[in-house]
Amino acid sequence: MELKQIASFAVDHTKITEGMYTSRIDGDVTTYDIRMVKPNCGTYLPVPAIHSFEHLFATYARSGHLSDQVIYVGPMGCRTGFYLLVRDMNPAVAIQLVKDTMDFVLDFDGPIPGATEKECGNYREQSLEGAKEIAAKMKAVLADWTVEDLVYAQ
């Protein structure tokens, strides 16, 4: 079997900065790269923070009026950001969903959804404070983000 280079590995990671980018489009499905730290700079998202952020992001995105268009929300293995996969969603709407998610995380108070032993395979490793730090940073990064900004730097 010949191994093919996948789209996310074809992007020049030396040029990626924090932001939201269109990673790929497959028919009616768009994958967004929500980059929260600059790749390969020695700073990565802490596991407890990214775990809580994932629970909050996924719950929020799948609970609102756009839930039927949300396919997947999940962290990157490199711990520099998240992927958001959506179906038939206008890019401006996707940007607003991510911005609204940052506000939701910043305002969230209470138990992390799905973070009990029965619901989660690693329920003890959570940090709401860390998730809020991620959201605060990304809120500032995305404040003036537009559809034109969704393109990776060349």
Side-chain angles (χ1 to χ4, degrees):
M1 172 176 70
E2 179 183 342
L3 297 178
K4 298 177 183 177
Q5 185 180 41
I6 63 171
S8 61
F9 295 162
V11 177
D12 186 345
H13 283 67
T14 65
K15 296 181 179 178
I16 296 175
T17 59
E18 293 90 345
M20 180 174 173
Y21 305 97
T22 303
S23 177
R24 60 184 292 155
I25 299 173
D26 300 288
D28 62 348
V29 176
T30 302
T31 301
Y32 290 103
D33 170 342
I34 304 165
R35 199 61 64 144
M36 299 170 160
V37 297
K38 185 168 175 41
N40 301 309
C41 285
T43 301
Y44 303 98
L45 298 171
V47 173
I50 202 171
H51 191 189
S52 294
F53 190 90
E54 175 207 5
H55 279 240
L56 292 167
F57 189 178
T59 300
Y60 180 78
R62 291 185 179 125
S63 296
H65 68 282
L66 299 171
S67 62
D68 289 345
Q69 294 174 274
V70 175
I71 297 170
Y72 175 75
V73 173
M76 297 175 180
C78 61
R79 296 183 13 239
T80 62
F82 276 76
Y83 289 114
L84 169 65
L85 280 72
V86 297
R87 172 171 281 122
D88 289 328
M89 186 180 291
N90 179 291
V93 172
I95 292 168
Q96 191 60 52
L97 172 61
V98 174
K99 288 179 178 183
D100 292 346
T101 297
M102 299 312 147
D103 288 333
F104 171 75
V105 173
L106 283 167
D107 294 339
F108 188 82
D109 185 31
I112 301 292
T116 67
E117 184 175 15
K118 183 178 178 181
E119 300 166 309
C120 179
N122 188 12
Y123 76 100
R124 291 183 185 98
E125 195 166 33
Q126 300 278 344
S127 173
L128 178 57
E129 297 77 21
K132 287 178 182 260
E133 289 174 16
I134 292 169
K137 179 180 176 188
M138 285 308 295
K139 180 176 180 165
V141 168
L142 297 175
D144 297 318
W145 213 258
T146 67
V147 172
E148 291 76 26
D149 296 316
L150 291 172
V151 179
Y152 288 115
Q154 297 298 319

